Amino acid sequence: MKIKFFSTLLILGGFVSIHAQSILNASSPEELRRMRAENLTVTGKGDTIKKEVTPLEYGFIEEKDVLWAKVVWEIIDLNERINQPYYNSSDGIVNSTLSLFDALKEGIQNDEITQVYDDEFFKYKITKEEALGSMTRRDTTDWFYDQKEDGIDMSSMSEAEMGIDTYNIGSEQIKMVKVKGMWYIDRRMGEMKYRILGISMMGPDAQTIGRGFDGADDYIDLFWIFYPDARQTLHKYQVFNPQNAASSITFDDMLNARRFNTIIYKSSDAMGDRSINEYLPRDAQAQLEESNRIRRAILQRENDMWSY
């Protein structure tokens, strides 16, 4: 019975993560956090080594081998239960994870992610400062100007002491994620495949924070990231699994495996790249039915490949 129970745990848990091993062998919380920050781990022999984190490489696809393709834009609603693993859920010790938003933000801050754009077609590239600036608002209060007029030396003060309020968009304010991807039929493999092209975080306009803003309808695309450039960063961060603290699946694994629920809001067709609400305005039920119709048509395309 014990052997059977242990085997079941292995099957359910999958591979044991580096983080789970680290907490069991840590000499102190400070040392554990330092090693995680420097991407280090300790082997059974006591050697400290650098962890190599590399996502599974995409295979090269010849254009002539793509028999059919369709680009779709989808929205991941993070309020749905199945999508909630993309939120942060960590105690900082046993589970040291970030939310999807924080992982992308950190990648931009550390210059690991550089392919950041202002649009979904990746035409207008923006700098790191512009990308981070879209998530922050700095408000200079009257207190700042009063101190300045009084000739008070503010060189040693913090921004809060000077009277400059800073508002940042946090994970809790990110309610939706947009994903742009391509479904295609690979002739050589004889199957339908999916490849993510871009990802965007949706949140409130930073310039409205602290001004009584409260409305999901006013959420905007904060930035668009060309997804292949973010894979290395997203593969470093494990997704919190409430059923198994030793789970080692990463954000890149989750996204590439399409372990999320979405609604299609736009697709490529004979009329170009049109949003569903452009040709079915003011009818939420019809828009949802159209989203499901597009999804069924994509799945049916693969079935139509085969003839007996």
Side-chain angles (χ1 to χ4, degrees):
M1 180 63 68
K2 290 182 179 180
I3 296 177
K4 182 178 180 181
F5 177 69
F6 182 67
S7 300
T8 302
L9 285 179
L10 288 178
I11 293 172
L12 291 175
F15 297 105
V16 177
S17 71
I18 293 297
H19 290 337
Q21 294 174 3
S22 297
I23 185 61
L24 296 177
N25 300 316
S27 58
S28 69
E30 292 74 16
E31 180 68 10
L32 174 60
R33 292 189 180 97
R34 183 188 67 80
M35 293 185 66
R36 283 178 174 170
E38 297 177 5
N39 204 28
L40 301 175
T41 189
V42 179
T43 66
K45 297 180 180 180
D47 299 326
T48 301
I49 61 174
K50 187 83 170 180
K51 292 187 294 183
E52 295 295 334
V53 183
T54 304
L56 183 65
E57 293 186 9
Y58 288 148
F60 181 76
I61 305 297
E62 293 279 359
E63 288 191 22
K64 63 181 180 180
D65 290 332
V66 179
L67 294 181
W68 172 88
K70 188 177 187 67
V71 178
V72 295
W73 287 258
E74 301 169 273
I75 288 181
I76 302 174
D77 185 351
L78 296 181
N79 289 316
E80 291 191 42
R81 186 179 182 86
I82 192 174
N83 297 329
Q84 288 180 356
Y86 294 98
Y87 271 129
N88 183 28
S89 185
S90 168
D91 65 1
I93 295 293
V94 177
N95 303 106
S96 181
T97 63
L98 295 178
S99 66
L100 177 61
F101 170 74
D102 286 334
L104 292 172
K105 182 179 179 180
E106 189 165 297
I108 295 173
Q109 287 176 326
N110 297 335
D111 296 316
E112 297 172 354
I113 300 176
T114 58
Q115 300 299 314
V116 187
Y117 295 81
D118 192 39
D119 67 304
E120 60 193 23
F121 297 103
F122 314 115
K123 291 182 178 180
Y124 306 104
K125 193 172 183 179
I126 59 178
T127 64
K128 176 175 73 173
E129 292 72 24
E130 290 173 327
L132 297 176
S134 68
M135 299 175 273
T136 302
R137 180 174 77 86
R138 298 173 75 250
D139 185 16
T140 304
T141 65
D142 293 338
W143 171 247
F144 173 85
Y145 296 109
D146 291 342
Q147 294 183 97
K148 191 173 182 180
E149 289 180 2
D150 292 339
I152 298 175
D153 182 12
M154 296 183 287
S155 59
S156 60
M157 296 182 181
S158 64
E159 288 193 344
E161 292 173 331
M162 287 189 290
I164 300 177
D165 296 330
T166 302
Y167 300 92
N168 296 307
I169 295 176
S171 295
E172 68 282 356
Q173 293 167 292
I174 304 298
K175 302 300 182 183
M176 291 173 283
V177 179
K178 284 185 177 179
V179 177
K180 178 182 180 180
M182 175 183 286
W183 289 96
Y184 65 96
I185 295 177
D186 188 332
R187 181 177 64 178
R188 297 183 63 185
M189 300 297 294
E191 63 181 1
M192 176 88 75
K193 291 186 177 182
Y194 176 77
R195 182 76 61 85
I196 299 178
L197 302 178
I199 187 169
S200 172
M201 310 306 293
M202 294 190 68
D205 186 344
Q207 302 308 311
T208 66
I209 301 177
R211 296 177 176 173
F213 168 78
D214 183 19
D217 292 339
D218 296 319
Y219 274 30
I220 63 172
D221 300 345
L222 298 178
F223 49 77
W224 275 89
I225 295 175
F226 186 59
Y227 186 76
D229 187 52
R231 293 193 66 209
Q232 184 67 40
T233 295
L234 294 181
H235 196 71
K236 295 192 306 181
Y237 299 104
Q238 297 176 355
V239 179
F240 176 76
N241 183 350
Q243 306 301 324
N244 181 8
S247 175
S248 60
I249 188 169
T250 67
F251 282 124
D252 184 59
D253 297 329
M254 289 273 287
L255 290 167
N256 278 300
R258 287 188 60 84
R259 292 179 63 171
F260 49 73
N261 189 44
T262 66
I263 295 177
I264 296 174
Y265 71 93
K266 188 176 183 179
S267 68
S268 58
D269 56 26
M271 301 298 292
D273 300 320
R274 297 187 301 165
S275 297
I276 293 176
N277 62 8
E278 290 183 25
Y279 56 91
L280 291 174
R282 298 183 297 278
D283 191 338
Q285 182 62 35
Q287 292 172 9
L288 182 59
E289 291 175 357
E290 176 67 4
S291 173
N292 293 330
R293 184 198 67 78
I294 294 173
R295 194 183 308 278
R296 289 194 300 268
I298 292 174
L299 297 177
Q300 185 60 38
R301 178 70 63 168
E302 183 176 23
N303 294 333
D304 293 343
M305 290 171 51
W306 308 99
S307 59
Y308 301 92

